[in-house]
Amino acid sequence: MLATMLLSRWSIVAFNVVILMPLTLALYEVVSLLWGAGFGHHESIQEAGHIIEGMGVILIGWGVVLEERAGVSHLLGGLPTEEPDYEAALDALCHHVGLALLVLGLMAEIFVQCVEVPDHIIHTDGIERVVLTGSAGFLALGLATLVRHVIGLALFRGPGRIPTAAAASGGISVRS
């Protein structure tokens, strides 16, 4: 029952939307800090890095949950097994999106760490804003991935559930 509440198709859509909201606001804030109102302040670079890092952690964590939906559902008591093909197709969809979010979140964090590592190890002096903009680009790709996943889940029917023309017209078919 807990697995159904937390890992059903519509629960995942809800979690995605909950993550999309702060991610959108964070990207707006990062752009403002790096290229807008905070452009002249060195502290804005650090704050942008912290925001990106935090959102990267969220993408990584949610990506792992999605990637391992089948395993997590098993730990939580399992999902209903009346339609194993449907659940397997949903697991595959979530696996691919989860892996993408995991990689995008990690790449965002790697770029932030390149800025935070001392300049005598990785020299980013003077290009911090560009590097962090690249990092924010990975978050933007994560946002696009989440939006695409929400749409994909909303339209998801699973294998063998594609409505035929006869079913769409109420089961009446006209032959000439």
Side-chain angles (χ1 to χ4, degrees), residues 45-106:
I45 292 173
Q46 291 176 332
E47 187 176 348
H50 290 301
I51 292 169
I52 292 168
E53 196 169 25
M55 294 312 300
V57 168
I58 291 171
L59 287 184
I60 291 166
W62 184 234
V64 169
V65 170
L66 288 177
E67 185 184 17
E68 291 299 324
R69 178 183 178 266
V72 172
S73 67
H74 179 72
L75 288 173
L76 296 175
L79 291 166
T81 58
E82 293 88 34
E83 300 181 77
D85 291 341
Y86 174 84
E87 291 300 330
L90 192 54
D91 286 340
L93 175 65
C94 288
H95 175 80
H96 296 299
V97 169
L99 184 58
L101 292 176
L102 176 62
V103 169
L104 292 169
L106 284 170

Side-chain angles (χ1 to χ4, degrees), residues 136-156:
F138 285 108
L139 292 183
L141 290 171
L143 184 135
T145 301
L146 283 170
V147 167
R148 186 171 174 230
H149 193 224
V150 166
I151 293 167
L153 288 172
L155 299 174
F156 183 78

